[in-house]
Amino acid sequence: MHRTTEQHDPMAHLYRGLGAEDTGSAVSVILKLRGETCDIDCLYCYEKRKEAPGGARIEAGQVRRLTELFSGRPLAVELHGGEPLTAGRDHVAEVLRELAAQPSVVRVSMQTNGVLLDEQWLDLIDALYPGLQIGISLDGDAAGNAWRVGYDGQPVYPRVATALRLLADRSRRAGVIAAVTPTVLGRAEAVLDHLASFEAVNAVSFVPCFDASVQNPTAAQGRRLTASRLLQRAAVGTPKGPAWSISPDQYAEFVLAATVHWIGAGYFARLKLEPAVSTIRRLRGLGTGFCHFSNLKCDHVFTLYPDGRLGSCDELPWPQAQLTRLEQVSGQSAVVAAQRRLPLLNQGKALMERCTTCAYRSACGGGCVATRWRQDQAGDQDAYCDYRMRMIDGTAALLAQPAHPAGVWCRRVRWRPRTPNSMRDVAAFLARWDRPNAPRPPVRLHTSAHGNINTVGLPGVHEADDLDPAHPQWREAIEAGVRSLVYAVTQDWCLVTYDSCQGHPYSGLDLPPVERRVGVLPRDRTEYAQAAAALCRAVSAAATDLPAAVQVTVGRAELTCETTGHTSHVLDLALRPAPGHSWPAYFDAVDAATRAVADALRGERPTAGGDCCCPAPQLTAPTVEEGRRG
């Protein structure tokens, strides 16, 4: 097994600042065509909580000024609100003509509640900007849309469903943004089935209502409250936040259940699901345009209001997120300077400092700055990180064992990437392991003064030949402290090990200590699922017998074949220092911990149908009224 050390600036990989000279990277501009003005009154609407004056409309001249401000940089523009269609057909037509005339505008989308969408609107869009991408706000089925009401307090779901059917009739496709509230918890499968039943829907993005910090109802104009505002007042003011709010852990369980069903039902072939797709892409080392998973975060997202206010992401609190005014800013350098001195953005970036040392950062991407800020205000920053890790753990399990989705609910086998982690020829190694009569030439084995066994006999990470139990030098190649674990895995469990280490304190050397571990390379996905479940059971059984200074973890990772570039899903059993305990205390206790874990391994076996010992979540579906009461 061969490894090297990855070196980079972690913060730059998590949050990339806007550079005036770097005109190649695109920015997203959210045009609040009517500010917060909307023809419906969703109780959880974050835009109306900004309490900004409404009624005005963004003009075509402001759109032209935006493209001049960003000096030819690619712009992705989203028509947003409130409700953008309340600006009226003639006015929207002027804006679309201006956008179509600007070569730097590479994409235009519109997020609408769909209530006003009709044949005339679609005719206009087809004529002026046929490539316009339409997004519909719809929280699943009728029950899930309990919080999306008109000012009369009545549901708007039937009208939105009609709009989706109209889009299908016109052979148009639309993405759906669905808020996850208590009314959909426990019903991920049914909600996804319902959204997928609309022919027009080709993408679904489940977004969380993490609104625990919301304690007051939205301000209302006039003395007489509408039916919708009365409903909202009844839903806020509890210590846990408004009745539509959910916890990060609830959101993670919902997303994972939806992802399992998305794969199992075959929806992945025609419907993009977020945040599942971005999580999968990051786990595979690929990029994504979703800012929650990329480093193009708030510095690359701008919001323009009709009165000329130009600020960062619209999900950040206003007026704190305001950078400047469109008519007052001279160019990109002034925008960058405003970003760098904006306290809110600096606070948001500071909240991400903890991400630089997190083992999940390559898959997580740091998450959403606005959500981190809100969770911090609610005193629940750890819960946000926990949900991101939980979602990544479950998705990693699903990638490794798609035919055995029960592994998604395991909380003990977690994503623990080793970057890079490679072997010269994985397929040849596996084939040789199961062919005892295959030729096995002698290899070089040298032992360092610190107990490392490799080809050069030096401490640290160096080249070592990949051996199997039939090799004459097999026992000699395994470091003494880890032999009992390797034998339990290879002899009792009949599994393949691709790596092992007894752990080394490296006293007197400028090398960090390393833990005791064994790496398992399953032959196929079924064996992987059985091994992961058995490791969970064994580690759980050993927990009560472990010395206080040692904890045992099971990690999911990937092993890269240097010959083909292909990756294999692997499992790493590691004995690590327990929180609050030193490396010397760990090495004093690691042999006793090893005996306990080896005994537990010998008491288990990977078996067909053997589940891990983590309970599946108790997902129950509240009624609409229960959801409204919280």
Side-chain angles (χ1 to χ4, degrees):
M1 198 273 291
H2 313 275
R3 300 179 64 199
T4 61
T5 302
E6 180 187 27
Q7 297 182 357
H8 56 71
D9 176 8
M11 198 60 192
H13 282 253
L14 293 166
Y15 194 111
R16 180 177 170 185
L18 183 71
E21 70 287 345
D22 173 26
T23 58
S25 62
V27 297
S28 297
V29 180
I30 302 166
L31 300 183
K32 297 287 187 179
L33 283 188
R34 293 293 307 282
E36 85 287 1
T37 300
C38 188
D39 52 342
I40 66 175
D41 199 28
C42 303
L43 308 192
Y44 54 57
C45 180
Y46 67 84
E47 190 62 47
K48 291 182 180 179
R49 290 202 294 268
K50 297 173 185 176
E51 301 177 10
R57 300 181 292 191
I58 286 179
E59 303 291 336
Q62 292 174 299
V63 174
R64 190 179 314 115
R65 173 68 183 121
L66 268 175
T67 60
E68 295 168 354
L69 173 63
F70 289 107
S71 303
R73 182 191 295 270
L75 300 181
V77 177
E78 182 175 7
L79 309 181
H80 208 277
E83 171 52 47
L85 297 185
T86 61
R89 290 191 183 89
D90 291 343
H91 196 84
V92 171
E94 292 179 8
V95 171
L96 290 178
R97 289 190 187 97
E98 188 61 48
L99 290 169
Q102 299 299 330
S104 61
V105 175
V106 296
R107 185 176 71 253
V108 179
S109 59
M110 177 178 65
Q111 189 64 34
T112 172
N113 60 39
V115 170
L116 295 177
L117 201 61
D118 58 18
E119 297 277 5
Q120 289 73 31
W121 271 113
L122 293 177
D123 288 342
L124 183 149
I125 292 168
D126 287 344
L128 299 179
Y129 212 107
L132 179 76
Q133 299 174 9
I134 296 177
I136 300 289
S137 299
L138 187 70
D139 300 345
D141 54 15
N145 282 271
W147 307 105
R148 299 186 63 80
V149 298
Y151 288 93
D152 59 1
Q154 297 303 305
V156 298
Y157 168 84
R159 287 182 281 173
V160 184
T162 298
L164 282 171
R165 287 190 285 270
L166 173 61
L167 287 170
D169 291 342
R170 298 283 293 250
S171 298
R172 269 194 167 270
R173 298 294 176 261
V176 166
I177 292 181
V180 179
T181 69
T183 56
V184 300
L185 293 180
R187 303 193 302 114
E189 297 86 352
V191 168
L192 188 58
D193 283 341
H194 186 78
L195 292 173
S197 71
F198 291 101
E199 183 183 344
V201 174
N202 64 357
V204 174
S205 179
F206 287 120
V207 298
C209 275
F210 293 157
D211 285 345
S213 61
V214 176
Q215 294 297 319
N216 298 309
T218 303
Q221 301 292 327
R223 296 181 179 178
R224 185 174 180 180
L225 294 178
T226 63
S228 56
R229 295 302 170 91
L230 289 172
L231 287 173
Q232 189 196 57
R233 290 198 171 195
V236 299
T238 68
K240 294 183 179 180
W244 62 77
S245 181
I246 63 169
S247 71
D249 189 63
Q250 287 174 321
Y251 177 64
E253 300 301 331
F254 180 90
V255 167
L256 290 173
T259 305
V260 169
H261 190 57
W262 175 66
I263 293 175
Y267 292 142
F268 64 88
R270 65 176 182 87
L271 187 151
K272 179 182 179 183
L273 182 68
E274 290 288 9
V277 168
S278 289
T279 306
I280 290 169
R281 289 186 64 84
R282 288 305 299 256
L283 283 168
R284 289 178 169 171
L286 303 173
T288 172
F290 192 177
C291 61
H292 294 195
F293 291 85
S294 81
N295 64 350
L296 299 183
K297 298 190 185 295
C298 299
D299 279 23
H300 286 75
V301 181
F302 296 89
T303 305
L304 178 66
Y305 282 89
D307 61 0
R309 287 172 297 146
L310 181 67
S312 190
C313 173
D314 67 333
E315 292 194 33
L316 287 165
W318 285 66
Q320 300 98 309
Q322 183 172 336
L323 295 165
T324 182
R325 298 188 68 85
L326 184 63
E327 67 273 13
Q328 295 174 351
V329 66
S330 57
Q332 285 193 71
S333 296
V335 173
V336 171
Q339 286 179 328
R340 292 177 179 174
R341 65 174 177 263
L342 189 71
L344 187 64
L345 285 182
N346 290 323
Q347 291 167 12
K349 283 182 278 191
L351 290 174
M352 293 182 61
E353 287 293 335
R354 67 193 299 173
C355 303
T356 60
T357 57
C358 178
Y360 287 79
R361 65 180 180 273
S362 63
C364 172
C368 171
V369 174
T371 308
R372 282 191 176 279
W373 188 89
R374 289 196 299 272
Q375 289 297 115
D376 188 61
Q377 295 297 301
D380 213 9
Q381 185 70 210
D382 287 343
Y384 180 73
C385 293
D386 290 345
Y387 119 68
R388 300 280 296 181
M389 290 186 278
R390 177 74 194 97
M391 186 172 66
I392 291 167
D393 288 340
T395 306
L398 198 55
L399 285 177
Q401 50 184 87
H404 305 273
V408 168
W409 309 117
C410 181
R411 289 179 175 261
R412 188 166 280 103
V413 185
R414 308 186 66 179
W415 175 244
R416 292 287 186 272
R418 299 168 64 185
T419 307
N421 189 28
S422 65
M423 175 181 284
R424 186 168 291 111
D425 192 332
V426 174
F429 174 70
L430 284 172
R432 186 171 64 250
W433 188 284
D434 291 324
R435 291 174 56 202
N437 296 326
R440 290 169 171 82
V443 298
R444 292 175 298 158
L445 295 177
H446 299 282
T447 304
S448 77
H450 294 264
N452 309 81
I453 300 177
N454 49 49
T455 59
V456 292
L458 293 176
V461 179
H462 296 279
E463 185 176 1
D465 290 291
D466 302 308
L467 305 186
D468 60 88
H471 195 287
Q473 294 169 280
W474 163 252
R475 186 179 187 281
E476 183 185 352
I478 303 170
E479 295 170 0
V482 76
R483 280 178 188 156
S484 62
L485 299 179
V486 172
Y487 290 168
V489 170
T490 58
Q491 295 177 5
D492 296 312
W493 286 23
C494 299
L495 297 181
V496 178
T497 56
Y498 75 95
D499 177 43
S500 66
C501 177
Q502 71 176 12
H504 307 284
Y506 292 133
S507 303
L509 297 182
D510 188 22
L511 289 173
V514 294
E515 75 279 358
R516 186 165 294 181
R517 65 176 184 270
V518 176
V520 178
L521 173 59
R523 296 172 177 85
D524 54 42
R525 287 176 167 178
T526 297
E527 186 174 85
Y528 179 102
Q530 294 172 1
L535 284 169
C536 174
R537 297 193 301 269
V539 169
S540 178
T544 57
D545 297 324
L546 291 177
V550 181
Q551 65 174 352
V552 182
T553 66
V554 183
R556 303 184 193 273
E558 291 182 339
L559 177 68
T560 301
C561 177
E562 296 169 2
T563 301
T564 65
H566 296 160
T567 58
S568 301
H569 295 284
V570 294
L571 295 160
D572 293 318
L573 175 68
L575 281 64
R576 303 172 182 268
H581 292 269
S582 66
W583 278 103
Y586 165 81
F587 281 107
D588 286 343
V590 71
D591 287 338
T594 300
R595 289 191 291 272
V597 174
D599 287 343
L601 291 173
R602 285 190 287 267
E604 283 288 347
R605 293 290 186 280
T607 57
D611 294 329
C612 77
C613 59
C614 301
Q618 296 297 313
L619 302 176
T620 57
T623 66
V624 173
E625 290 305 316
E626 286 173 339
R628 281 184 170 174
R629 291 194 300 268

